[in-house]
Each structure stands twice: as structure tokens, then as C-alpha cells.
């Protein structure tokens, strides 16, 4: 039977050894909660050292994971890069299943664990490799750009992957490389529509969406502006275009965090998953984070207890069909090999307010 936090005693020694972590979490974690979390955090960090394991923690992880046990934290692109170069024997994915698959694709010789097999993704489940093959038959001669939020079989049918951090860069690069003016971009329709407003390249899109970001609308922003005049609104490019047009800044989770820590607005709202604001708070003292935000039920399946059990009992290992790995790895590696941006990618807000149609795949 798995140990629980109650079986891991909160001792003065553990309190002292985790004091620096609690200093970053004290605004989000009560002293009583910390007595339950600190023993798990201490035990996880000890197991990592013993097992030569690392934890990749996405920006949507809860603060106890993000600040307490994450060895590498950030957005999908940053975590993919860390997976590719990590010297660890074991990678524990603090994120959803497609992220764990991506780690396995980039590091097939390593053991990749995910604490909960139910941690899926609405985007990743919206399209299959077979559907991508049919799309390529319908639009021969056009490159396929696939969001990294996809399964391994989809990546294997892809010419190059992208994340929200480099989507515009990737679309323009692959169009120039292929000598075309049109690119197929899968599967997030809203990311595709927002990219179309940033580039002259024509976009053919799939009707997938993130269940967290598609729920936002322009009225959410109007309401928060009415209640808090002067608030700065930062949005993720998986949101609908009308949300982007009503915002002050749009960029990946890393770009949003960078904006807050460098500009330190008095009040800010992050139009994305709720834990994002909780994690940035530690880096931006004095900034007031307002809602709305939406919770990702899949990300929230990853818990400290689950990570502890994953390491202690070697569960649950993520595997990828060996026949898919070379092709999927090529698409992901092409994304990683793109010239790094000097600053985290952001969307031109003047362009974002222009209407540009995309062709939807029927």
C-alpha cells in the first residue's frame, strides 16, 4: 500500500530543510497544509537524488510541485528541450500524457514516468495519425505543422512541431523551406487563427481546441476591466481570437511570466490555466493577480502524492511504439533546432485585431 503524507512525519529537521521552499509558497500554502506537503516534498527530492531522476514541471502544475520538486519548469518547448539533454536515468513528467510521450520520443533510452495515466489533453485527443494521413492526401504538397500538444502517432505524420512560443516562427520557416504560401496547422483552431493574424502565410486548420482556453470570451475581459480599471490583461494564444484582440499582451506561458516579472504591473490577469498565476506570484512580489482563470482537470491529476508514488513504485511508465519514434523525433527535433528567439515570443497586438480567415478542414 502506498505511503501517504500522513505517514511521512513533519519533523523539525524536515521543516528546516524545506524552509527555503516554503518561503516561496507561504502566500499560497497555509502552515497546516505545509505540514502535509513538506514531508512529501522532502521525500521526493531524496528519491530523485537516489534514483538519478528529474521532474519536468509544466507551468500549469500546482505551486507545491512547481516550486517544491520541479527540477526544470516552464512551457512545453522548454520542457522538451530539457528532456532531450537531460543526463538523468528517469524522467517524471509533471504534466499531461502527450508531454511524457514527447520526453520518451526525445530520450527513448530513458525511463519516463507519469504519475497518473488519466492526465490527458482535449487537444491531443482531437486528432489521430490516421486523420493526419487523410489530410495530407487531401492537400498534397503542403507542409504539416503540428502543435506539440499531440500524440506520438500524430507527430510521426508531421513535418515539424511547434509550441505557442514559436508557432509563427515555425509556420514562416517551413513555408519558406518548402517554397509555399500555405501551411496545414493542426490541431488547435484558435492557435491557427491567431497565427494567421500574425503572418502572410495562409493557414489550413483543424477544429480542435483546448478545453481550458476555449471557455474564455471577450466578455470575461470586459467584466474584469470594468471591475478593475487599469488592469493589464495577458492571454494565451490558444484562446479565441476575440479574446486575443481584447487583451493587452499575448504570448506563451513563458512569455506571460516574463512580461509580469519584467514589467511588474500593479494588477494583472492571466487568461490561461489557474496555476500559472499561482506560480508566477513567487517571482513577482507586489503584483496583484486577478481572476478569471480556468482549471485544467487533466493537469490537476498530477499531485505530490502521485509523484512520490511514481518514484517509489516506478509507476506509470510511458512507452511509445519504436516504429513511430524516429519520425516523431524528427518533427520535434526540427522544432527544437529552430534558432532561439532573443526574447520570449509575443503576438503583435495591432495585427491581432485584424480579421484573417483560415480554411477549416471539413
Amino acid at each position: 500500500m502506498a505511503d501517504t503524507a500522513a505517514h511521512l512525519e513533519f519533523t523539525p529537521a524536515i521543516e528546516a530543510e524545506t524552509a527555503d521552499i516554503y518561503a516561496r509558497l507561504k502566500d499560497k500554502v497555509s502552515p497546516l497544509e505545509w505540514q502535509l506537503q513538506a514531508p512529501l516534498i522532502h521525500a521526493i527530492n531524496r528519491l530523485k537524488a537516489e534514483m538519478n531522476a528529474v521532474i519536468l514541471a509544466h507551468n500549469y502544475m500546482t505551486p507545491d510541485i512547481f516550486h517544491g520538486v520541479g527540477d526544470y519548469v516552464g512551457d512545453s518547448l522548454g520542457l522538451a528541450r530539457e528532456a532531450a539533454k537531460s543526463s538523468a536515468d528517469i524522467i517524471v513528467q509533471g504534466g499531461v500524457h502527450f508531454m511524457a510521450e514527447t520526453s520518451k520520443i526525445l530520450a527513448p533510452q530513458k525511463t519516463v514516468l507519469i504519475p497518473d495515466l488519466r492526465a490527458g489533453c482535449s487537444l491531443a485527443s482531437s486528432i489521430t495519425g490516421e486523420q493526419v494521413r487523410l489530410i495530407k492526401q487531401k492537400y498534397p504538397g503542403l507542409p504539416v505543422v503540428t502543435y506539440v500538444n499531440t500524440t506520438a502517432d500524430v507527430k510521426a505524420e508531421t513535418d515539424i512541431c511547434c509550441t505557442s512560443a514559436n508557432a509563427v516562427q515555425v509556420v514562416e520557416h517551413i513555408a519558406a523551406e518548402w517554397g509555399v504560401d500555405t501551411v496545414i496547422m493542426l490541431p488547435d483552431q484558435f492557435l491557427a487563427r491567431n497565427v494567421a493574424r500574425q503572418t502572410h502565410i495562409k493557414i489550413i486548420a483543424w477544429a480542435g481546441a483546448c478545453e481550458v482556453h476555449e471557455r474564455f470570451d471577450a466578455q470575461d475581459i470586459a467584466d474584469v476591466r470594468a471591475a478593475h480599471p487599469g488592469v493589464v490583461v495577458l492571454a494565451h494564444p490558444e484562446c479565441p481570437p476575440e479574446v486575443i484582440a481584447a487583451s493587452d499582451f499575448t504570448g506563451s506561458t513563458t512569455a506571460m511570466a516574463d512580461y509580469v516579472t519584467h514589467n511588474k504591473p500593479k494588477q494583472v490577469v492571466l487568461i490561461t490555466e489557474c496555476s500559472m498565476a499561482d506560480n508566477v506570484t513567487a517571482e513577482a512580489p507586489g503584483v496583484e493577480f486577478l481572476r478569471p482563470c480556468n482549471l485544467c482537470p487533466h493537469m490537476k491529476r498530477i499531485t505530490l502524492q502521485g509523484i512520490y508514488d511514481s518514484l517509489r513504485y516506478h509507476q506509470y511508465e510511458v512507452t511509445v511504439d519504436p516504429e513511430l519514434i524516429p519520425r516523431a523525433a524528427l518533427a520535434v527535433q526540427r522544432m527544437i533546432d529552430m534558432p532561439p528567439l532573443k526574447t520570449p515570443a509575443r503576438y503583435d497586438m495591432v495585427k491581432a485585431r485584424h480579421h484573417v480567415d483560415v480554411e477549416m478542414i471539413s
Side-chain angles (χ1 to χ4, degrees):
M1 183 177 177
D3 294 333
T4 65
H7 295 120
L8 298 170
E9 187 180 357
F10 183 69
T11 64
I14 286 178
E15 181 178 18
E17 289 182 38
T18 58
D20 58 332
I21 298 173
Y22 185 57
R24 299 170 65 82
L25 296 174
K26 62 183 180 180
D27 292 335
K28 295 295 178 184
V29 178
S30 71
L32 183 59
E33 289 176 309
W34 185 243
Q35 290 184 35
L36 298 175
Q37 292 177 359
L40 275 171
I41 289 172
H42 181 266
I44 289 167
N45 288 332
R46 175 179 52 78
L47 283 172
K48 287 189 306 182
E50 293 173 357
M51 301 170 65
N52 190 25
V54 294
I55 296 174
L56 308 184
H58 190 267
N59 287 324
Y60 295 159
M61 291 290 96
T62 51
D64 53 339
I65 295 172
F66 189 87
H67 292 295
V69 300
D71 296 290
Y72 303 104
V73 298
D75 59 16
S76 307
L77 180 57
L79 296 186
R81 285 179 170 144
E82 293 300 337
K85 66 184 183 182
S86 173
S87 60
D89 296 320
I90 298 172
I91 294 173
V92 180
Q93 197 74 44
V96 292
H97 196 271
F98 79 79
M99 296 178 181
E101 277 195 337
T102 304
S103 293
K104 186 65 177 179
I105 288 165
L106 292 171
Q109 76 282 9
K110 299 183 186 300
T111 298
V112 177
L113 303 175
I114 189 166
D116 194 317
L117 289 171
R118 299 171 298 170
C121 172
S122 60
L123 266 178
S125 63
S126 74
I127 194 167
T128 65
E130 175 61 26
Q131 288 171 317
V132 179
R133 288 191 289 273
L134 293 173
I135 291 167
K136 292 195 291 187
Q137 291 175 16
K138 185 174 182 179
Y139 300 96
L142 294 182
V144 176
V145 175
T146 295
Y147 201 23
V148 76
N149 302 38
T150 47
T151 57
D153 66 322
V154 169
K155 290 181 174 72
E157 300 296 333
T158 296
D159 295 298
I160 187 170
C161 288
C162 75
T163 71
S164 60
N166 64 6
V168 176
Q169 180 193 22
V170 167
V171 163
E172 293 184 343
H173 170 82
I174 197 70
E177 186 178 77
W178 283 51
V180 296
D181 64 359
T182 304
V183 166
I184 300 166
M185 189 173 185
L186 311 169
D188 191 315
Q189 60 177 308
F190 297 130
L191 180 65
R193 287 171 171 167
N194 291 322
V195 168
R197 296 183 180 203
Q198 300 291 314
T199 179
H200 65 282
I201 304 300
K202 298 175 185 176
I203 303 291
I204 298 172
W206 181 257
C210 166
E211 63 186 280
V212 170
H213 294 99
E214 70 175 336
R215 297 203 303 269
F216 292 110
D217 59 37
Q219 189 60 49
D220 291 327
I221 296 178
D223 290 344
V224 77
R225 289 196 192 280
H228 303 277
V231 66
V232 176
V233 180
L234 313 185
H236 192 280
E238 291 177 21
C239 294
E242 59 268 23
V243 172
I244 305 307
S247 301
D248 299 306
F249 175 91
T250 295
S252 68
T253 53
T254 294
M256 286 192 281
D258 181 74
Y259 182 99
V260 172
T261 56
H262 282 81
N263 293 281
K264 295 182 172 58
K266 182 178 179 181
Q267 290 184 319
V268 66
V269 58
L270 305 184
I271 306 298
T272 188
E273 213 277 344
C274 291
S275 288
M276 178 72 191
D278 294 335
N279 292 328
V280 179
T281 298
E283 308 296 337
V287 176
E288 181 183 2
F289 290 84
L290 307 175
R291 298 309 193 242
C293 66
N294 291 324
L295 282 169
C296 174
H298 308 291
M299 289 284 187
K300 294 303 173 277
R301 292 190 184 279
I302 308 302
T303 64
L304 277 179
Q305 182 69 52
I307 291 172
Y308 175 73
D309 291 342
S310 184
L311 283 168
R312 184 172 172 81
Y313 302 105
H314 209 79
Q315 63 186 36
Y316 298 94
E317 185 169 358
V318 174
T319 60
V320 175
D321 184 342
E323 293 186 0
L324 295 178
I325 288 178
R327 289 185 291 138
L330 184 60
V332 178
Q333 193 61 49
R334 284 173 175 163
M335 172 189 71
I336 292 174
D337 290 341
M338 290 290 294
L341 298 165
K342 293 182 180 179
T343 58
R346 57 187 61 192
Y347 286 63
D348 185 313
M349 297 312 296
V350 174
K351 291 181 179 179
R353 295 177 177 89
H354 294 173
H355 180 72
V356 177
D357 284 328
V358 301
E359 178 182 342
M360 296 301 297
I361 297 168
S362 57

